[in-house]
Amino acid sequence: VEVTRDEVELPPPAIDNRLTVHALWPEIDRISTEQLQAAFEGVGGQTGWQLFAEEGDMRMYRREVEVDGMVMDPLKAMHKVRGVSAREMCHYFFNPQYRYEWETTLETMNIVEAISSDTIVFHQTFKRIWPASQRDALFWSHVRAAPQQTYAVTNHSTTNAEYPSNTGACIRLFVTVCLACRTAWPSGEQPTRDNISTSIAYCSTVNPGGWAPAGVLRAVYKREYPKFLKRFTNYVVEQCRGKPLVM
Ligand code: 18C
């Protein structure tokens, strides 16, 4: 069989009801809905997005935004990958067991709270970039299905009394990230690894949380985002090679 379902391991096709009773649910639902809606909006015309990187099917856009001299440039990336589904993409992005294999900026990752099969709160520390202080982040991560063969993961900063910010060596940064994926195949055919293609929209806004030199930050941004998206998508293609397609 070409198409199989694995409800335990892969992102569930419906919201887990252990999430809807959690205190964070209203915020998670609102932000995930907004992020997914914005992810597939266009980047042309008067939208203000400037192209800064292009390679094959991948295009990366940014807006230059500074607040009190701190760079908070929003990023939007579009990509298209053949042979893997939206659900598979989101599975590898969401699931902590794979993160060290594709996330090169990571120093440590801890699960703060496993809320449900589709939602986890993470604490992460990142590699230090000289001359700035090391950064950490505390964020919830939620994966969900949407109409039109779409899956999305949204990550958004939160707080937790057991993980106070700016107490040790790290400065807490704030992040809103959405990886939204949509799979298509020729009409009248059954989806297979040979005929599907998945459109990816990755949006990210990082508030560095404290002083960081603008020039260094924009250079890191320009280098790290294309590196991340290429590495991550290649990783998923490699992981899925030879395995049955999961839609
Ligand atoms: O979305 C991504 N990853 C997810 C799972 O980890 C999750 C993570 C979001 C955090 C993104 C912030 C990363 C900051 C990293 C700073 C250190 C980089 C060290 C690199 C040197 C080897 O959603 C994929 C994320 C891809 C990240 C690309 C880099 C973005 C840089 C943004 C600026 C960071 C400002 C703070 C540092 C100040 C340094 C001058």
Side-chain angles (χ1 to χ4, degrees):
V1 220
E2 265 295 329
V3 183
T4 60
R5 279 185 181 276
D6 185 347
E7 314 297 347
V8 181
E9 274 262 324
L10 281 128
I15 306 277
D16 187 327
N17 55 25
R18 284 168 294 184
L19 171 60
T20 57
V21 295
H22 193 277
L24 280 171
W25 164 247
E27 175 186 294
I28 291 175
D29 189 39
R30 176 177 55 83
I31 294 176
S32 301
T33 304
E34 283 169 10
Q35 287 293 315
L36 178 53
Q37 220 153 50
F40 288 112
E41 277 169 14
V43 286
Q46 300 302 304
T47 55
W49 290 103
Q50 322 166 0
L51 184 70
F52 75 92
E54 193 172 7
E55 209 182 304
D57 288 318
M58 183 180 85
R59 310 234 175 319
M60 291 208 163
Y61 304 82
R62 67 162 165 208
R63 271 195 202 116
E64 292 201 354
V65 175
E66 281 178 38
V67 180
D68 299 328
M70 269 201 298
V71 174
M72 298 190 198
D73 299 356
L75 167 113
K76 181 157 181 156
M78 306 293 210
H79 199 0
K80 193 172 231 179
V81 179
R82 275 157 260 277
V84 297
S85 71
R87 195 176 186 197
E88 290 169 327
M89 274 286 169
C90 288
H91 169 66
Y92 288 101
F93 190 72
F94 173 74
N95 206 313
Q97 81 186 83
Y98 309 113
R99 193 152 308 159
Y100 285 106
E101 292 175 23
W102 59 264
E103 176 64 281
T104 59
T105 68
L106 210 54
E107 191 142 291
T108 63
M109 175 197 69
N110 283 295
I111 295 175
V112 171
E113 189 182 357
I115 297 179
S116 48
S117 59
D118 53 8
T119 310
I120 301 174
V121 178
F122 291 99
H123 178 256
Q124 293 187 174
T125 62
F126 302 96
K127 289 177 183 159
R128 181 172 175 244
I129 309 169
W130 187 88
S133 305
Q134 191 182 12
R135 262 49 178 187
D136 70 350
L138 182 73
F139 60 91
W140 52 255
S141 183
H142 170 61
V143 59
R144 64 166 54 173
Q148 297 179 273
Q149 300 294 327
T150 301
Y151 273 86
V153 179
T154 304
N155 296 342
H156 182 76
S157 284
T158 187
T159 54
N160 182 303
E162 283 166 41
Y163 291 80
S165 56
N166 308 335
T167 51
C170 282
I171 294 183
R172 180 71 45 90
L173 60 74
F174 304 93
V175 65
T176 304
V177 160
C178 181
L179 178 84
C181 304
R182 180 166 291 165
T183 302
W185 62 91
S187 63
E189 293 181 18
Q190 286 296 311
T192 69
R193 287 237 182 268
D194 299 325
N195 69 4
I196 61 166
S197 75
T198 294
S199 299
I200 299 170
Y202 174 82
C203 300
S204 169
T205 303
V206 178
N207 172 340
W211 181 82
V216 176
L217 213 151
R218 287 204 166 106
V220 170
Y221 190 108
K222 207 169 167 176
R223 184 187 70 217
E224 294 299 323
Y225 279 119
K227 185 173 149 193
F228 147 66
L229 198 58
K230 279 189 283 178
R231 186 180 163 92
F232 173 70
T233 51
N234 289 337
Y235 173 77
V236 177
V237 169
E238 285 307 314
Q239 293 300 305
C240 292
R241 199 183 294 284
K243 292 188 186 144
L245 173 66
V246 189
M247 293 286 293

